[in-house]
Amino acid sequence: MEWYVYGRGSSPIRIVSKKRRFWTKRTLLIALSIIVIAGLLWCAYALNNINKAATTDPMQKADVGIILGMSMWGDEPSPGLKERLDYGLKLYQKGMFPHLIVSGGLDKPDLQYTEAQGMRNYLVAKGVPDSAIYVENEATSTYENLLFSKEIMAREGLSSAIIITHTYHGWRAHEIADELGFVNPELGLTESTVLSMTRHKTREILAYTKWKLQQLFL
């Protein structure tokens, strides 16, 4: 039973309306707080996973090294992409794999080379035989990098791979490789001295979130 106080300028309708607005605002505030807390917890979980990625140790020799693409600066690989290429080149020279797949599509319509073509040109200039490099020119995401690289592996009879990228990118790359059915994929990860980790790890949290949503709904 509700009790109403009658007085000048007041009515039961106004009192009930105020109570409803109060509880509506309180409910919305509680819901918003729950969403914010859940979001912060998710970001902490994602960042923890991102920070756990590490180069496979001990690393086993594989059929191929897959270097994941990154942006081009004109006709040249960007400084960040050069870090991946240099690390992949180091592993190749150590004899960890006899073949390389370079993967990445066109950054901008006006560029002369795709990421993969720019990567191939860089490696050839460093002494890698052109015949040792498979070029994958279509990928526009990490998922496509690995999906299209796996298709090249199947076509060429290659069964094992070391995935080469930056450390902050390694966890998601490994999860995607597992999802695509790579057999015991290894990671070859390099730290960056040229990239802002605050910026790239923030972007990676968003990319990892998108990937987990794709897993959940698709």
Side-chain angles (χ1 to χ4, degrees), residues 94-131:
K94 286 176 62 176
M96 296 307 298
F97 39 74
H99 303 284
L100 284 155
I101 296 174
V102 289
S103 174
L106 194 64
D107 278 341
K108 300 176 183 177
D110 59 338
L111 291 183
Q112 182 177 359
Y113 300 116
T114 64
E115 292 175 6
Q117 289 169 330
M119 294 159 77
R120 174 257 173 206
N121 293 343
Y122 184 88
L123 292 170
V124 169
K126 295 286 186 178
V128 180
D130 196 18
S131 59

Side-chain angles (χ1 to χ4, degrees), residues 36-153:
V36 169
I37 292 170
L40 291 173
L41 289 173
W42 169 256
C43 287
Y45 168 78
L47 183 61
N48 181 62
N49 282 344
I50 289 166
N51 288 335
K52 284 194 301 186
T55 294
T56 303
D57 185 23
M59 184 181 287
Q60 303 297 318
K61 290 184 177 182
D63 295 334
V64 66
I66 302 173
I67 305 179
L68 303 184
M70 207 173 182
S71 61
M72 292 283 290
W73 282 12
D75 295 342
E76 294 285 327
S78 64
L81 182 51
K82 286 181 180 179
E83 289 180 322
R84 296 183 186 184
L85 288 164
D86 288 340
Y87 185 62
L89 178 62
K90 177 182 176 181
L91 293 178
Y92 172 80
Q93 292 172 338
K94 286 176 62 176
M96 296 307 298
F97 39 74
H99 303 284
L100 284 155
I101 296 174
V102 289
S103 174
L106 194 64
D107 278 341
K108 300 176 183 177
D110 59 338
L111 291 183
Q112 182 177 359
Y113 300 116
T114 64
E115 292 175 6
Q117 289 169 330
M119 294 159 77
R120 174 257 173 206
N121 293 343
Y122 184 88
L123 292 170
V124 169
K126 295 286 186 178
V128 180
D130 196 18
S131 59
I133 304 171
Y134 299 105
V135 177
E136 187 289 296
N137 278 317
E138 303 298 327
T140 60
S141 66
T142 302
Y143 185 89
E144 291 184 350
N145 285 144
L146 292 167
L147 174 63
F148 299 156
S149 294
K150 189 170 186 290
E151 291 172 356
I152 292 174
M153 290 176 63

Side-chain angles (χ1 to χ4, degrees), residues 19-40:
K19 286 183 176 180
R20 285 176 177 171
R21 285 199 298 270
F22 171 78
W23 286 108
T24 299
K25 288 180 180 179
R26 184 177 179 182
T27 301
L28 289 174
L29 183 60
I30 291 171
L32 181 60
S33 299
I34 290 172
I35 291 170
V36 169
I37 292 170
L40 291 173

Side-chain angles (χ1 to χ4, degrees), residues 47 50 70-71 73 78 80 168 172 192 194-207:
L47 183 61
I50 289 166
M70 207 173 182
S71 61
W73 282 12
S78 64
Y168 75 87
R172 178 163 59 99
S192 180
V194 300
L195 301 175
S196 165
M197 284 299 99
T198 299
R199 177 170 175 263
H200 280 79
K201 284 188 178 182
T202 299
R203 290 178 60 185
E204 185 60 20
I205 289 172
L206 296 175

